[in-house]
Amino acid sequence: MKNLLVGVLAMGIVILGFLYYKEKKQERESFEERTALIQEQIRNVGKLVVTEGTFSQVYSYKNSKSFYLDIFSARKKALIVVNAEVSVSYDLSKLETEIDAENQRVIIRKIPLEEININPNIKYYDVTQDYLNQFDAEDYNKIKSRIEKGLREKIEQSTLKSNAQNRLISELQKIYILTNSMGWTLEYQNTPIDSESDLNSLNL
């Protein structure tokens, strides 16, 4: 009778151990599946987000050189029409993230800076130049540099950058929505993101 009791007790311990292991295994597998789902979402977000715009501008360029004690001068001038295609992009393949599975956290370590690409189409009209003061490579480089500087100022004043940031935020919201639905926490630079409005207020 005693041996039977010991046998039943041992069998019970084995069954409980098996059930405990099975439950833990199921929890672990579910845990891994959730982690994989988050990793897949981050990979899906890791693409190039591009916002494009077109800027047009007309410039005038004048230059004069004096000779013989300022008695004689040579001039050159041109009318310049610029049509520029501009893009502001975020390469989200450079998004640096960390998954803390144990504490159920997704941490965004670094958001890539925006990349501004300017492709100006420059055309010269009404070009006049004196023999002693003709257009050369230095003039064209100077003109192009000034045009690009002016375009960058226009980009800063336009909605192009803010539109690009809005598209960036909408991509990051996909990570937030998934982590939030799973009961995980999304963080950026050690600050928890508790709502979609927190994403909109990120210091990019």
Side-chain angles (χ1 to χ4, degrees), residues 28-194:
R28 180 174 55 81
E29 288 176 349
S30 175
F31 202 59
E32 290 176 352
E33 287 171 6
R34 286 170 176 252
T35 303
L37 186 62
I38 291 172
Q39 289 172 332
E40 182 64 26
Q41 181 64 72
I42 291 172
R43 279 196 294 270
N44 290 338
V45 167
K47 62 183 179 181
L48 190 66
V49 177
V50 183
T51 302
E52 297 177 323
T54 302
F55 293 86
S56 299
Q57 190 69 36
V58 178
Y59 298 88
S60 61
Y61 177 77
K62 296 179 182 179
N63 179 273
S64 64
K65 289 183 178 180
S66 299
F67 301 91
Y68 306 113
L69 301 175
D70 294 339
I71 297 174
F72 176 74
S73 64
R75 297 181 177 85
K76 58 186 170 188
K77 64 179 182 178
L79 186 69
I80 305 152
V81 177
V82 180
N83 289 298
E85 295 180 357
V86 177
S87 66
V88 180
S89 60
Y90 289 91
D91 186 357
L92 293 183
S93 66
K94 299 176 182 177
L95 185 72
E96 296 182 11
T97 60
E98 176 188 341
I99 297 178
D100 179 3
E102 183 177 352
N103 297 303
Q104 298 188 331
R105 297 187 305 160
V106 175
I107 305 156
I108 299 174
R109 294 294 184 192
K110 182 180 178 182
I111 297 173
L113 296 175
E114 79 272 5
E115 300 172 9
I116 300 175
N117 183 45
I118 301 173
N119 183 26
N121 180 15
I122 303 172
K123 292 185 178 181
Y124 292 82
Y125 297 92
D126 298 332
V127 177
T128 56
Q129 52 191 343
D130 293 335
Y131 179 76
L132 295 176
N133 189 15
Q134 298 193 17
F135 280 92
D136 57 20
E138 184 180 353
D139 289 302
Y140 293 120
N141 288 334
K142 188 186 298 182
I143 290 168
K144 185 178 180 181
S145 177
R146 289 180 179 176
I147 287 172
E148 288 187 352
K149 181 181 178 182
L151 287 170
R152 288 186 181 277
E153 291 173 353
K154 284 186 171 294
I155 292 168
E156 291 294 331
Q157 296 168 2
S158 73
T159 60
L160 200 59
K161 286 184 68 174
S162 61
N163 290 343
Q165 287 183 357
N166 289 338
R167 292 193 60 187
L168 168 66
I169 294 299
S170 70
E171 291 299 318
L172 297 179
Q173 281 176 342
K174 295 176 183 178
I175 302 176
Y176 168 75
I177 290 170
L178 178 61
T179 54
N180 187 57
S181 67
M182 293 168 52
W184 285 44
T185 301
L186 180 63
E187 295 183 10
Y188 176 59
Q189 295 182 342
N190 300 319
T191 301
I193 296 172
D194 298 320

